[in-house]
Amino acid sequence: MLNTFSDTDTKGAARRMERERQLELMNHAANGTGPFAPSTDNDWDVEIDDAMMNSPNNGLLNEDEAEPCDRRRAAALMREADLKHSISKRHIIHDEAELGSTSGLYSSPVSRSRGLNLSGGKLFGSRANQKGNARPSKHQNMDDIRISGNDDSHDERLNVYGERRVTTIGGVPINRRMMLVALACMMGIIVVLSVTLSINGEKIDQSSTSLYKSDPNNVDSNSETYNAYYKLIVDESLSDEELLKDSTTPQARALHWLVNDDTAAVPQNLSTAKTKYSLLVFYFANIAESPQFQLSIPLGQDNDPDGIDDANPQDEIAKEMNEFTSGENWLTVAAGHEDADIWYCRWIGIKCDTNNRGVVKEFNLTKRGLVGKIPEEFGRGLTSLRMLDLGYNQLSGSIPVTIAENTSMLEQLYLGNNQLTGSIPTQIGNMVLMEDLYLQENFLTGKIPQEIGQLVKLDGLGLYGNELSGQIPSQIGNLLDLYVLYLDDNWLSGQIPSTIGNLQYLSDLRFRKNRLSGTIPEEIQGMNNLEMLYLDENFIEGSIPEAIGSLKRLTQIQLYKNKLTGTIPEVLGELEDIELLYLDNNELRGEIPTTIGRLTNMEALYLFNNKFTGTIPFQLGNLEDLKSVRINDNLLSGSIPPEFGSLTKVELMYMHNNQLTGLLPEEMGEITRLGKLRIDKNRFDSQVIPQKICMLTSNGQLDEFAADCEREDILCECCTECL
């Protein structure tokens, strides 16, 4: 059956499912959660993923709605995973060291390879037998090998007399001599079969799973088929003529296969012929005869009906590749099939249009372990594509200009998490129907082309994790339908363009980890649907604009590690949905606003390493959902408010290196989840640390407690560190 792809499918669940999958991966990768998490100690990402998969319509759009319905819910679930990871990740940073980000899928620790790690990373790690069914070694004693498939008393290695090991067949014990005779007979049969098959070479060819039925290096260049295809390729400028003369190139191999092995006649339809050739060039450039996709065990030998080792993720990919490159799904053409001339429509990963015979609309080979390059022919032969997904492979080379020039109908382009180099083609402006463009986690260089502003239907743009430089083009403000914008982890410089305020539907803005300077533009107030604002780890100066108070839907603000000055605007207290506020490592001054105490959804508050003065507002005790608070390394004075005892969910509290005085309030002993507490390097009065707080250490919850107990007038029997 052909894989078909109709216009309804394009606008329906298939396209939206891919968009949500990419959106989920973008959020996970940008925050180091899910498959990008540095460790597997935390299980909330799995919970979020499960929640998304089990949500109505998989968190996608309803067919009868023009705007997202559960998409907001899916984004909220991803936000929760981001939030929890961010809090946990910064828990382990006891100093002000740089907060790193995991920028690759199972990437090698000694290189910046961001594709699938084929050389020993997590994905292709050593195999463990999950079911505990140990298979016999080739060195194992033959008497120990159990041939029987019956589960009865004869399967035991000691017989009923307890004297010797036995081997059984169908429950009947046999001795060693009988075993050797049986093996000799089997070997004789194998030899006879081998001789028989070698005599009849034609039969071997017919049953072989080789890519070719004939010698790929032996092609009749005078045949009618050869000349027809050769003329087509040259006349249509599909490939350089010199490449066809070298039998080792993907172009020549594709031509030879069409001449020698394609059972269908040369297509009368020019588009079909170009599609055939272009797909074959891609195949021979990336997939053919790749050795790394061998199953670690033969199919069906792990007592598992799917024939793969469930403990080894590599086998899952190998199984898919086995299906992908064999049988009628790949180059073995079913002779006489009614669709034999457009056999590629049966390939895994390809869907053809139901209304235009043989026209490929969707090409999806994500996570297939591809290790070659994207050939120029791809963009010349598949001009009607609407979706192209080659993400999460190990593709190298540049993005072919031909894709940007010729696939003007493309709506979704996913090339992220590969090893692509070069620049983003300026011809990308031709793709005026583009809705999702994700080129993240590659090695792309150069500037973001201003032509990207012509993609006015763009909904998602992900360019993070590259080596892009120059300024953010002001034309990005033309993308009025943009929902997510990820430009983080590049070398971008200059100011944030004021046109960013035009993006009124933008939900997620991430410019973090660049070299941006200047101020945060006041025009930001126009993004009234913004939920996540990540501008951290740049060189942004000036004050936090009052305009930020108009962004009522904000849930996360990350402005840390910049050069911000001035005070925290009081209007921040009006952002009732804020869950995470990171303003640390700047040059902010003044007092901590009491309005912060209104943010009752807050889970993480980081204000450390600034120059805040005054007292700690007692209103912070209203933040009942707070889990992590760091106000250390400032110039705060006065005493710790007893209202802090109401923060019963707090797990980390750092107040060290200030000028705090008074006594440590006994009410803090009510924070039963407190695991890390630092109050050292302050000016507390002489005191004995309250026993109620020390009880938190005795029950094993408070495992880090640092105070100035080296002073003779401060007694702390439960401190883990005295400074």
Side-chain angles (χ1 to χ4, degrees), residues 101-145:
S101 67
T102 303
S103 59
L105 178 59
Y106 308 129
S107 57
S108 168
V110 295
S111 68
R112 201 179 169 214
S113 173
R114 294 193 178 90
L116 297 178
N117 188 348
L118 301 180
S119 59
K122 291 183 181 177
L123 184 60
F124 289 172
S126 61
R127 178 179 55 79
N129 194 333
Q130 190 176 36
K131 293 181 173 59
N133 299 320
R135 291 180 294 275
S137 166
K138 64 180 180 180
H139 302 296
Q140 191 171 357
N141 190 312
M142 289 298 297
D143 284 337
D144 291 343
I145 299 177

Coordinates of all heavy atoms in Angstrom, one line a residue, residues 101-145:
S101 N 24.5 24.5 30.0 CA 23.3 23.9 29.4 C 23.7 22.7 28.6 O 24.8 22.7 27.9 CB 22.5 24.9 28.5 OG 23.3 25.2 27.4
T102 N 22.9 21.7 28.6 CA 23.2 20.5 27.8 C 22.7 20.8 26.4 O 21.5 20.9 26.2 CB 22.5 19.3 28.4 OG1 22.9 19.1 29.7 CG2 22.9 18.0 27.6
S103 N 23.6 20.8 25.4 CA 23.2 21.3 24.1 C 23.2 20.2 23.1 O 23.1 20.5 21.9 CB 24.1 22.4 23.7 OG 25.4 22.0 23.6
G104 N 23.2 19.0 23.4 CA 23.2 18.0 22.4 C 22.5 16.7 22.9 O 22.4 16.4 24.0
L105 N 22.1 16.0 21.9 CA 21.4 14.7 22.3 C 22.5 13.6 22.4 O 23.1 13.2 21.4 CB 20.4 14.3 21.2 CG 19.7 13.0 21.3 CD1 18.9 13.0 22.6 CD2 18.8 12.7 20.1
Y106 N 22.8 13.2 23.7 CA 23.8 12.2 23.9 C 25.1 12.6 23.3 O 25.8 11.8 22.6 CB 23.3 10.8 23.4 CG 22.0 10.4 23.8 CD1 21.0 10.0 23.0 CD2 21.7 10.4 25.2 CE1 19.8 9.6 23.4 CE2 20.4 10.1 25.6 CZ 19.5 9.6 24.7 OH 18.2 9.2 25.2
S107 N 25.5 13.8 23.4 CA 26.7 14.3 22.8 C 27.9 13.8 23.5 O 27.9 13.5 24.7 CB 26.7 15.8 22.7 OG 26.6 16.3 24.0
S108 N 29.0 13.7 22.8 CA 30.3 13.2 23.3 C 30.8 14.2 24.3 O 30.7 15.4 24.0 CB 31.3 13.0 22.2 OG 32.6 12.8 22.7
P109 N 31.4 13.8 25.4 CA 31.9 14.8 26.4 C 33.2 15.5 25.9 O 33.6 16.5 26.5 CB 32.2 13.9 27.6 CG 32.4 12.6 27.1 CD 31.5 12.5 25.9
V110 N 33.8 15.0 24.8 CA 35.1 15.6 24.4 C 34.9 16.3 23.0 O 35.9 16.7 22.5 CB 36.2 14.5 24.3 CG1 36.5 13.9 25.6 CG2 35.8 13.4 23.3
S111 N 33.7 16.3 22.5 CA 33.5 17.0 21.3 C 32.2 17.7 21.3 O 31.4 17.5 22.2 CB 33.6 16.0 20.1 OG 32.5 15.2 20.1
R112 N 31.9 18.5 20.3 CA 30.6 19.2 20.2 C 29.7 18.5 19.3 O 28.8 19.1 18.7 CB 30.9 20.6 19.8 CG 29.7 21.5 20.2 CD 30.0 23.0 19.8 NE 28.8 23.8 20.0 CZ 28.4 24.8 19.2 NH1 29.2 25.1 18.2 NH2 27.3 25.4 19.4
S113 N 29.9 17.2 19.1 CA 29.0 16.5 18.2 C 27.6 16.4 18.8 O 27.4 15.9 19.9 CB 29.6 15.0 18.0 OG 28.7 14.2 17.3
R114 N 26.6 16.9 18.0 CA 25.3 17.0 18.6 C 24.3 16.0 18.0 O 23.2 16.0 18.3 CB 24.7 18.4 18.4 CG 25.5 19.4 19.1 CD 24.7 20.7 19.1 NE 25.3 21.8 19.8 CZ 26.2 22.6 19.3 NH1 26.5 22.5 18.0 NH2 26.7 23.6 20.0
G115 N 24.8 15.1 17.1 CA 23.8 14.2 16.6 C 23.8 12.9 17.4 O 24.1 12.9 18.6
L116 N 23.3 11.9 16.9 CA 23.3 10.6 17.6 C 24.7 10.1 17.8 O 25.5 10.1 16.8 CB 22.5 9.5 16.9 CG 21.0 9.9 16.7 CD1 20.4 8.8 15.9 CD2 20.3 10.1 18.0
N117 N 25.1 9.8 19.0 CA 26.4 9.4 19.3 C 26.6 7.9 18.9 O 26.1 7.0 19.6 CB 26.8 9.6 20.7 CG 28.2 9.4 21.0 OD1 29.0 8.8 20.2 ND2 28.6 9.8 22.2
L118 N 27.3 7.6 17.8 CA 27.5 6.2 17.4 C 28.7 5.6 18.0 O 29.1 4.5 17.6 CB 27.6 6.2 15.8 CG 26.4 6.8 15.0 CD1 26.7 6.7 13.6 CD2 25.2 6.0 15.4
S119 N 29.4 6.3 18.8 CA 30.7 5.8 19.3 C 30.8 5.6 20.8 O 31.8 5.6 21.4 CB 31.8 6.8 18.9 OG 31.5 8.1 19.5
G120 N 29.6 5.3 21.4 CA 29.7 4.9 22.7 C 29.0 5.8 23.7 O 29.2 5.7 24.9
G121 N 28.1 6.7 23.2 CA 27.4 7.6 24.2 C 26.2 6.8 24.8 O 26.1 5.6 24.7
K122 N 25.3 7.5 25.4 CA 24.2 6.9 26.1 C 23.4 6.1 25.1 O 22.9 5.0 25.5 CB 23.3 7.9 26.8 CG 24.0 8.6 28.0 CD 23.0 9.6 28.6 CE 23.6 10.3 29.8 NZ 22.7 11.3 30.3
L123 N 23.1 6.6 23.9 CA 22.2 6.0 23.0 C 22.7 4.6 22.6 O 22.0 3.6 22.6 CB 21.9 6.8 21.8 CG 20.9 6.3 20.8 CD1 19.6 6.1 21.5 CD2 20.8 7.1 19.6
F124 N 24.0 4.5 22.3 CA 24.6 3.3 21.8 C 25.5 2.7 22.9 O 26.6 2.3 22.6 CB 25.3 3.5 20.5 CG 24.5 3.8 19.3 CD1 25.0 4.2 18.1 CD2 23.1 3.7 19.4 CE1 24.2 4.5 17.1 CE2 22.3 4.0 18.4 CZ 22.8 4.4 17.2
G125 N 25.0 2.6 24.1 CA 25.8 2.1 25.2 C 25.8 0.6 25.1 O 25.2 -0.1 24.3
S126 N 26.5 0.0 26.1 CA 26.6 -1.4 26.1 C 25.3 -2.1 26.4 O 24.5 -1.5 27.1 CB 27.6 -1.8 27.2 OG 27.2 -1.4 28.5
R127 N 25.1 -3.3 25.8 CA 23.8 -3.9 25.9 C 23.7 -4.7 27.2 O 24.7 -5.4 27.6 CB 23.6 -4.9 24.7 CG 22.3 -5.7 24.8 CD 22.2 -6.5 23.6 NE 23.4 -7.4 23.4 CZ 23.5 -8.5 24.1 NH1 22.7 -8.9 25.0 NH2 24.6 -9.3 23.9
A128 N 22.6 -4.6 27.9 CA 22.4 -5.5 29.0 C 21.1 -6.3 28.8 O 20.2 -5.8 28.1 CB 22.2 -4.6 30.3
N129 N 21.1 -7.5 29.2 CA 20.0 -8.3 29.0 C 18.9 -8.0 30.0 O 18.9 -8.4 31.2 CB 20.4 -9.8 29.1 CG 19.3 -10.7 28.6 OD1 18.1 -10.4 28.5 ND2 19.7 -11.9 28.1
Q130 N 17.9 -7.2 29.6 CA 16.9 -6.7 30.5 C 16.1 -7.8 31.1 O 15.7 -7.7 32.2 CB 16.0 -5.7 29.7 CG 15.1 -5.0 30.6 CD 14.3 -4.0 29.8 OE1 13.9 -4.2 28.7 NE2 14.0 -2.8 30.4
K131 N 15.8 -8.9 30.3 CA 14.9 -9.9 30.9 C 15.7 -10.9 31.7 O 15.1 -11.9 32.2 CB 14.2 -10.6 29.7 CG 13.2 -9.7 29.0 CD 12.5 -10.4 27.9 CE 11.4 -9.6 27.3 NZ 11.9 -8.3 26.7
G132 N 17.0 -10.8 31.7 CA 17.8 -11.8 32.5 C 17.9 -13.1 31.8 O 18.3 -14.1 32.4
N133 N 17.6 -13.2 30.5 CA 17.8 -14.5 29.8 C 19.1 -14.6 29.2 O 19.4 -14.2 28.0 CB 16.7 -14.6 28.7 CG 15.3 -14.6 29.3 OD1 15.1 -15.1 30.4 ND2 14.4 -13.9 28.7
A134 N 20.1 -15.1 29.9 CA 21.5 -15.1 29.4 C 21.6 -16.1 28.2 O 21.1 -17.2 28.3 CB 22.4 -15.5 30.5
R135 N 22.2 -15.7 27.2 CA 22.4 -16.6 26.0 C 23.7 -17.2 26.2 O 24.7 -16.7 26.6 CB 22.3 -15.7 24.7 CG 20.9 -15.2 24.4 CD 20.9 -14.5 23.1 NE 21.7 -13.2 23.2 CZ 21.2 -12.1 23.7 NH1 20.0 -12.1 24.2 NH2 22.0 -11.0 23.8
P136 N 23.9 -18.5 25.7 CA 25.1 -19.2 25.9 C 26.2 -18.7 25.1 O 26.0 -18.2 24.0 CB 24.8 -20.7 25.4 CG 23.6 -20.5 24.5 CD 22.8 -19.3 25.1
S137 N 27.4 -18.6 25.7 CA 28.6 -18.2 25.0 C 29.1 -19.2 24.0 O 28.8 -20.4 24.1 CB 29.7 -17.9 26.0 OG 31.0 -17.8 25.3
K138 N 29.8 -18.8 23.0 CA 30.3 -19.8 22.0 C 31.3 -20.7 22.6 O 31.7 -21.7 22.0 CB 30.9 -19.0 20.8 CG 32.1 -18.2 21.1 CD 32.6 -17.5 19.9 CE 33.8 -16.6 20.2 NZ 34.3 -16.0 19.0
H139 N 31.9 -20.3 23.8 CA 32.9 -21.1 24.5 C 32.2 -22.0 25.5 O 32.9 -22.8 26.2 CB 33.9 -20.3 25.2 CG 34.6 -19.4 24.2 ND1 35.4 -19.8 23.2 CD2 34.6 -18.0 24.1 CE1 35.9 -18.8 22.5 NE2 35.5 -17.7 23.1
Q140 N 30.9 -22.0 25.6 CA 30.2 -22.8 26.7 C 30.3 -24.3 26.4 O 30.2 -24.7 25.2 CB 28.8 -22.3 26.8 CG 28.1 -22.8 28.0 CD 26.7 -22.2 28.1 OE1 26.4 -21.3 27.4 NE2 26.0 -22.6 29.1
N141 N 30.3 -25.1 27.4 CA 30.3 -26.5 27.3 C 29.1 -27.0 26.5 O 28.0 -26.6 26.8 CB 30.4 -27.2 28.6 CG 30.6 -28.7 28.6 OD1 30.0 -29.4 27.8 ND2 31.5 -29.1 29.4
M142 N 29.3 -27.8 25.5 CA 28.1 -28.3 24.7 C 27.1 -29.0 25.5 O 25.9 -29.1 25.2 CB 28.6 -29.2 23.6 CG 29.4 -28.5 22.5 SD 28.4 -27.2 21.7 CE 27.2 -28.3 20.9
D143 N 27.6 -29.7 26.6 CA 26.6 -30.4 27.4 C 25.7 -29.5 28.2 O 24.6 -29.9 28.7 CB 27.4 -31.3 28.5 CG 27.9 -32.5 27.8 OD1 27.4 -32.9 26.8 OD2 28.9 -33.1 28.4
D144 N 26.1 -28.2 28.3 CA 25.2 -27.2 29.0 C 24.2 -26.6 28.2 O 23.4 -25.9 28.6 CB 26.1 -26.1 29.6 CG 27.0 -26.7 30.7 OD1 26.7 -27.8 31.2 OD2 28.0 -26.0 31.1
I145 N 24.3 -26.8 26.8 CA 23.3 -26.1 25.9 C 22.0 -26.8 26.0 O 21.9 -28.0 25.7 CB 23.9 -26.1 24.5 CG1 25.2 -25.3 24.5 CG2 22.9 -25.4 23.6 CD1 25.9 -25.3 23.1

